[in-house]
Amino acid sequence: MVTSSKDVALQVIQQAIAALAKWSGFTHPTLEKEYPEVTRAKEILGWKPDTNVGTLRLVFDSVDLPDEPKKEKIQQNYHPLKVIDNDHQEYPDIPYPLDSEPSSEQQKAFQLEINQALRNHLQDNWVNLSLLMLILEKFGSCLSFGQSDIALVDIARTTAAIATALLNNPAEEISLIAGDLSGIQKFIYTISSDGALKSLRARSFYLELVTEEVVQQLLSRLEIPRTNVIYAGGGNLYILASGTENTKKVVQKVREQFNTWLLDEFQGKVFLALDYLNFPVTEIASAEFANHWSNATKNLALHKSQKFADQINKFIAPEDSHEPCKVCHRDDVEPETLQPLNKHEPDSVLACEICCSMFDLGSNLFGVKAIVRSTSDNVDSQFFPLSFKLPAIDDFPGVNIYYYYFKNWKPIVPESDTVLLVNDWNLDHYQFKHFKNVSTLLLGNYGKENKTDENNQEEAQGFLRAEEMAAKAQGINRVGYLRMDVDRLGQIFAKGFGKNQTLPKLAGISREMSYFFKVYLNSLAEQRNVNIPQKITQLSDKNEKYNILFIYAGGDDLFISGAWNEVVDFAFDVYQCFRAYTGNNPDITLSGGISINDAKFPLYQSAESSGDAEKAAKNNGRDRLGLFGQVFKWDEWLGTAKVTNFDAVNKNYNNPETKKPSLLGILPFVQKLEQQNIGVNYARNFVRNLLITAQIQEQALKKFEEDNKSEEALSTRYYLHLPKIAYTLARLPKNVLDDNDFRTSLKSPYNAPYFRAIATWIELLNR
Amino acid sequence: MPEQIKPKQSYPPGNSRTSNPQTNTSTTQNIVEDIIKTINDLTDGLKTYPIRNLVKHAEEFGPYLKQQRLETNQVRKFLDAVNRLKADLAETGDFAKIETEVVLLKPKLAYAAARQRAAKPLGEVMSAAIDKVHSKEDFERLVQLIESIIAYHKAEGGK
Ligand SMILES: [Zn+2]
C-alpha cells in the first residue's frame, strides 16, 4: 500500500500526543512503526527519543532586533499553564505570561486536566487528525518540547509538514509556497457609504475565505494535509511542500485559476501573488531558513509588480461600460443584473451581485459558528452561500466552490467537504461522529449588536450602525476609526531570532500573533475586566461590552470602528494588553492611528484618514499613536513615560528643572478634569484657553521647522507659553487649584507639548 | 503695605548699551535688578534674551508686581500701544515702520510711573528692554516679555 501524506502527518501528530500523554501520566494507544520520512523529519528538527514535554518560555523573549541595542535586559517570561478554551463563553481569556516558571503544583494540576481530556476524547478518535491537532493546540500551546521556547504544537506541526514533504522526495528539496492577496485595501476601502460598515466587514471576511480557498486548492492538488500550512490569514499564506516538478506546476495553475477568476469578479482590484522557493530540507532548522523566508516574500513583491501577466489579454481588452454599481462603482455588469442593495428598504440603491451578497452577509455574519465548504450548490442553508468559480486551466478542470455559513456549530450537511468552526475550541465539536474534516477558523469577529428594531422585524439583528455608534459616544456624537499594526513585523520575521530563526520559531510567533489579533482581541472587547493585565492604565474602568465593530482584525493588524471615545479607550487597552502579552519586549511594539468623523462621512475617507494618522505615527519613530491630529508615544498619552524628550533638553541647562512633575503626559490631566466635575463653563473656558495657548505655541514653533533642535526652538517649545498656562489655570475653580499636583504639573515644561491633545480630548468629551 | 524706597536710577536715554550695575538694593527688589542686568548684558539685541530665562524672570516678576499692587489699568495705555505696534508689524512685516513708535513707548511708561509708584518697576524693566530693540526679532521678544509678565501677574490675581 502506498503511504499517503495524511498517514505520515497523522503519525507525527500521534507521537506528539503520545508525548503529551506521557507527561500527563495517561496511557496512550500504541504507536505504529515509524515511517522513514518521520524519522528523518524528527532528526532534522532535533526531536529525539528522549525529548520531553516541559514548561514553555515566552517565544517573544527571544526576539532581539540587532539595529537597536537593548538598554535593559528582558526579563524571562513563561507561558501560564492554561488551556485555550471557550469555557462556556464566546472567546477564551487572554493568557498573560508569568515572570517565573509554573510551580510543580500548577504543573500537576495541568497534567490532571490533560489526562482527563485525553481520557474523554481519545478513545474513538486516535486517527482523527483534526481532533488530535486541536488537542495539541489547546494544551500544547503552553508547553515546550525540546527547546524551551518552542511549543509542542509548533514542533509537531512543522515535523509533520517536513515529513510529508519528504515523501517520495529522495532529493530532499523542499518548497516554501508563499502567497499574498493584494489589492485588499482597494477592494475593501473604496466602496461608497450605502450600508458601508456592514459591507466592509463582510468584504474583509470574504477575503479571508478567498485566502482559505487558495489554501484548500493547494492542499488538495498537492495532496498534503493541513498540518503543512505554516500560516494563513489576512491575505497571506505560507505552506510547505515537496520541492518537486508537481509543486511547481500546481502553484502555477492555481495562481492562474485564481487570477482569471479574480480579474473577472473584481475587475482587477484583487490579485493573487503566489510563488514557491526550493531549498534543501536541512536548512529548515538553520539560520539559512530566515533568508529563504525573506526571499519567498520578496519574490511575491516581484509578482505583484507584474500583476495579471498571465491574463494580460483579458486585462486590457475593451469592455462595454454600463450604469455602474452604486456601491463598488464597477460598470462592467449588465444593468438588468443590478438589484436593490437592501431588500427591506423601498428606495434602496442598485448594486451588483457581489455587493448585494456582501450586504446580506454583513447582516448575518454576527454569530456565525460554522462554515461549510462544499462543491454542491444545493446545500440546505438559511443564508445564501459565497461562491468561487474557478475556471479550467489546461488540464486543470474548473471547479465551483460554495461556502455556506451557519449560526450553530453543528450544521447537518451530508455533502460537506470541509467544516470550519469559528473560534471554537470545544473538543466535543471535533469528534468523528460530527464531521470528517474539520478545522478551526480564527476570526476577529467582535461586534456589538444593535437593539432589534421592533418596527423592522424583517431586518436581521445586526451590528451597530455608524449613526448608533455616534449616538452612544460620550460628548460629541462621532464615530472613531482605529487602524493599528505591529511595528517592523517583517524584520522580526526576517531576523528577530538571529541564528535561531528556524521554522518552528516562526511558526510559533506567527501563531501567537494570530491568536492575539484574531481571537484575544474579541475577548478583550467582549469582557474587558477579565482580559486586561494587572498593571494597566485604565481610561475607563467599566466592564461593559465595547460599542465597537471589528471591520478587520487578523495577522498583525486591525481596523475597527465605534463610538469615538470607546475606540480611543480600546486602542489603549489593545496596546497595553499586546505589550503585556508579548512580555514587554521593547522590540515588539504597535503603532496606531485614530480618526474621528461624522457618522455620514464617507467610510473610505475615514479609513484613509485613520491610515494617515497611523502612517504619521510610524514615520515619527514607531511605538506611537496618532490621535487628534497629533502623534505621541503611547506612554506619553498614557502618562507612564519614564523618559521624555524634555529630559535631554533639561540636562543641558545650568539649572535644570529639579524634578519631574507628578502628573506627566496627556491622560492624567484628562482624567483629573473628568473627575473634578468642574462645570461646563469652567471646562469650556479652560479648554478654550488651553487651545489658544497651544496655538500660540505652534505659531511660535513654525519658524523653527527647519531646525527644531536649536536652543531657541527647544526653549520656545518648552517654556514660552508657560505664563499663559499659569494664567489659564488661575481661572479654574478653587477646588481644582487646591490640587497641588494638578497645578504644578501642568505648569511644568515637561507637559508643554501636550496642551493641544489635552484640550482637544476634554473638549470632545464635553461637547 | 510699606513700599521700598528705591535708589534713584538713571539710565541714559536712547540706545545706550552700557550696563548699570546696581548696588544697595533690598532683597525684594532683586528680581528687578536681575532682569535689568540680564537685559543690559545682551550685546546683540533683545532677541538674544534666552526664552527660558525670560520666562523664569517673568514668573518671579509678575507676582512681584502684584505684590506692589500694580493693576493693569494703570499701564493700560502702554499695553494698548504695544498691541497696536504688534498688529502693525504683523501687517507690514517692516520693523522700520514702527521703530520710532517703539522708542516712544518709554515716555508712556515714564508717565504711568510718575503717577503710580506701583508702575515703576515695570517701567524700569521695560525701559531697559526697549533700549535693546533694534529689529523685528527684538521687538517680538519684547512682546513675549511683556505678555509673559502680564500673564504671571494676572495669574496672581492681578487685574
Ligand atoms: Zn458592486
Side-chain angles (χ1 to χ4, degrees), chain A residues 495-512:
Chain A
K495 53 186 178 187
F497 295 110
K499 290 206 179 328
N500 295 315
Q501 196 87 2
T502 59
L503 177 63
K505 286 242 171 125
L506 288 183
I509 198 167
S510 59
R511 182 177 50 77
E512 297 271 10

Side-chain angles (χ1 to χ4, degrees), chain A residues 4 41 183 655:
Chain A
S4 81
N655 303 304

Side-chain angles (χ1 to χ4, degrees), chain A residues 447-460:
Chain A
K448 178 79 178 280
E449 316 98 288
N450 63 8
K451 294 268 185 302
T452 314
D453 184 355
E454 305 234 333
N455 302 319
N456 189 7
Q457 294 285 8
E458 303 230 344
E459 169 134 29

Side-chain angles (χ1 to χ4, degrees), chain A residues 246-257:
Chain A
N246 182 49
T247 300
K248 180 179 168 185
K249 183 181 164 193
V250 167
V251 167
Q252 269 171 10
K253 298 297 170 200
V254 167
R255 178 173 66 213
E256 240 180 290
Q257 274 189 309

Side-chain angles (χ1 to χ4, degrees), chain A residues 653 655 657 712 716 719 723, chain B residues 51-52 55-56 141 148 151-152:
Chain A
Y653 291 127
N655 303 304
E657 303 292 324
E712 182 89 352
T716 301
Y719 283 94
Chain B
I51 288 173
R52 179 169 181 265
V55 170
K56 295 249 162 206
R141 188 61 42 97
S148 297
Y152 277 122

